Amino acid sequence: MAAVEQWETEARRLGQRPLDEVDPEVAEAIGLERVRQAEKLGLIASENLVSRAVLEAEGTVLTNKYAEGLPGGRYYGGCQYVDQIEELARTRLCALYGAEHANVQPHSGAQANMAVYMALLHPGDTVLSMDLAHGGHLTHGSAVNFSGQLYRFVHYGVNRETERIDLDEVRAVAERERPALIVAGASSYPRTIDFAGLAEVARAVNALFMVDMAHIAGLVAAGVHPSPVPHADVVTTTTHKTLRGPRGGVILCRAAHAKAIDKAVFPGIQGGPLMHVIAAKAVCFREAAEPAFGAYQRQIVANARALAGTLAARGFRLVSGGTDNHLFIVDLRSQGISGRQAERALDEAGIVVNKQLIPFDPLPPMRTSGIRVGTPGVSSRGMGEAEMTEIGNIMADVLGAVGRERGGARSGTEGTTQRVRALTARFPVRA
């Protein structure tokens, strides 16, 4: 009887104890991460700061609900409310981009891409995509990724002189290889992508056309970058980069592919969807439809240009000469330092970037000759062009000091951390 009473007492208390009491180690790590995000400038192009509403939606009781299947056709009972939420997310996403069909269940952008390949291809089919070393993505055919192991990927890159996509090269490779699918989209390409031109190449070789717009989805939603939706058979994206939503993926497609796409997501590659994340996606899509979101996206681009311009004025070479979107790549070879060294030095100063291959990079991926810099996160904090000039000068001071240290001179970077902290204090993380 005592054991039963003890269990009843524990059951009543289940879920009522706070995190710092249940697991102080995890709580401490979360607290430290909160401080890190608040006190450092996040310039990683694939990261952003979500709104309070997105955070609230994701941290709800929806995490308790299993909901395999689609709204109106679940394999579990009790799905009437999660059906409403998923249908809101799906219809809002279609309206945001003018798409015929949407699936909001993929757990990530990688799984969205996997589902598309499964729906449209057979193992061993030929796919043409952008070379990872020139700015493409791991799931666009890297040999270490499922995509490169299950399908025969061939690649196009950027022109050595302009460092931009050359449609004539894409056309030549497509005519030679006759791919079943052409994939557009990139993870580190600072220029506008000509979706209409690439779609024309795909039609000329009777290939399907897919666009992975993960990095530029927010820009597209706001009309700051041309939309791939009118030109592509299928469009995938993450929701956590410029779109400023929770971590996850979605798929947009023509109605003709809807059934195959939905079947590939479930039961093809996933079981139950993450309903708490889908709720946060729905909130994100609503926020992206607001006029303020367009102003935010325009500020992201203005900030990227201002920050890139400051570094260029300080003597740093930019891949392709600049940027049209939310990111740019800095070539560090003239400074005599690697991307890995730059990443570490900037992090110590309170600025977070990632090392990045430049086109035709002589260094390996874990060292690199460049860094990738993006402005979605600092723009979410409310910073503008004046702050980008300040950040650019801090970065130039830090990176110049690293180069001097390699030459045996004193670094002279005292006070850079304080300069960063002054900025983050003026523009706090509000979520």
Side-chain angles (χ1 to χ4, degrees):
M1 186 62 181
V4 172
E5 290 176 350
Q6 183 180 359
W7 166 244
E8 289 176 345
T9 301
E10 188 61 29
R12 284 193 297 270
R13 295 180 59 226
L14 185 63
Q16 303 306 309
R17 298 164 63 200
L19 175 62
D20 58 358
E21 181 181 324
V22 173
D23 196 329
E25 294 167 302
V26 168
E28 180 183 19
I30 292 172
L32 291 171
E33 172 61 15
R34 184 179 293 110
V35 171
R36 186 197 68 81
Q37 291 185 24
E39 294 186 349
K40 293 194 175 186
L41 293 169
L43 294 176
I44 291 180
S46 54
E47 293 182 355
N48 209 333
L49 302 171
V50 301
S51 69
R52 177 176 177 177
V54 168
L55 276 179
E56 285 184 5
E58 191 163 2
T60 62
V61 295
L62 294 174
T63 195
N64 300 333
K65 189 71 193 88
Y66 228 121
E68 284 185 347
L70 291 167
R74 305 288 191 182
Y75 289 81
Y76 290 86
C79 291
Q80 59 268 42
Y81 303 119
V82 295
D83 276 7
Q84 291 178 22
I85 290 168
E86 183 167 342
E87 191 59 21
L88 277 172
R90 194 193 68 76
T91 55
R92 287 175 182 176
L93 182 60
C94 285
L96 188 62
Y97 292 104
E100 294 176 2
H101 180 76
N103 188 301
V104 296
Q105 293 190 3
H107 300 334
S108 68
Q111 287 186 274
N113 290 348
M114 176 183 279
V116 173
Y117 300 153
M118 176 175 282
L120 303 183
L121 301 171
H122 298 289
D125 277 354
T126 298
V127 184
L128 175 59
S129 68
M130 190 173 188
D131 193 328
L132 175 62
H134 287 207
H137 189 260
L138 192 69
T139 59
H140 299 176
S142 171
V144 299
N145 184 258
F146 78 89
S147 55
Q149 295 170 13
L150 296 179
Y151 307 96
R152 177 181 175 264
F153 272 80
V154 292
H155 300 288
Y156 59 89
V158 297
N159 179 276
R160 186 179 287 272
E161 298 300 320
T162 65
E163 296 177 312
R164 300 183 187 219
I165 296 170
D166 184 340
L167 272 180
D168 289 336
E169 180 203 353
V170 179
R171 187 176 296 106
V173 178
E175 290 175 349
R176 182 181 70 243
E177 301 292 343
R178 312 301 293 189
L181 177 70
I182 294 179
V183 178
S187 63
S188 59
Y189 185 67
R191 295 301 183 176
T192 300
I193 299 175
D194 182 0
F195 297 128
L198 288 164
E200 184 180 342
V201 173
R203 286 193 298 270
V205 296
N206 199 31
L208 293 170
F209 183 42
M210 166 187 161
V211 174
D212 179 345
M213 66 170 183
H215 265 269
I216 58 171
L219 305 181
V220 171
V224 180
H225 189 290
S227 174
V229 174
H231 308 289
D233 294 284
V234 182
V235 176
T236 65
T237 183
T238 54
T239 50
H240 55 270
K241 298 184 177 78
T242 52
L243 200 51
R244 201 164 61 179
R247 298 192 65 84
V250 298
I251 303 171
L252 301 164
C253 67
R254 300 191 191 281
H257 302 297
K259 186 174 180 180
I261 291 293
D262 288 346
K263 185 178 178 181
V265 175
F266 173 82
I269 66 166
Q270 293 183 179
L274 306 178
M275 295 312 305
H276 57 302
V277 179
I278 289 175
K281 290 175 183 177
V283 174
C284 156
F285 304 148
R286 179 165 186 160
E287 290 178 341
E290 296 293 328
F293 188 78
Y296 163 64
Q297 295 297 321
R298 291 188 289 274
Q299 189 64 57
I300 287 175
V301 174
N303 283 350
R305 289 174 176 165
L307 182 51
T310 300
L311 286 167
R314 292 289 300 269
F316 291 86
R317 191 187 86 83
L318 307 179
V319 169
S320 81
T323 178
D324 298 326
N325 55 32
H326 64 300
L327 65 83
F328 58 92
I329 300 97
V330 183
D331 182 350
L332 298 167
R333 289 177 295 177
S334 64
Q335 310 297 314
I337 60 176
S338 70
R340 180 168 63 186
Q341 290 169 320
E343 178 186 302
R344 290 174 176 173
L346 288 168
D347 188 72
E348 289 177 5
I351 296 175
V352 186
V353 302
N354 62 273
K355 56 185 172 292
Q356 181 67 47
L357 290 171
I358 63 172
F360 310 101
D361 202 324
L363 293 181
M366 290 306 293
R367 289 183 62 202
T368 79
S369 296
I371 54 173
R372 184 183 66 167
V373 183
T375 55
V378 289
S379 300
S380 288
R381 296 178 80 138
M383 296 184 187
E385 292 98 319
E387 288 72 39
M388 297 306 106
T389 299
E390 191 171 352
I391 293 169
N393 283 320
I394 295 172
M395 292 176 67
D397 290 345
V398 171
L399 296 175
V402 175
R404 289 192 297 274
E405 284 178 350
R406 285 179 57 80
R410 287 178 55 83
S411 68
T413 59
E414 295 81 1
T416 53
T417 302
Q418 287 75 15
R419 291 162 68 188
V420 170
R421 291 283 178 84
L423 273 171
T424 58
R426 284 166 49 205
F427 298 90
V429 176
R430 301 189 183 279

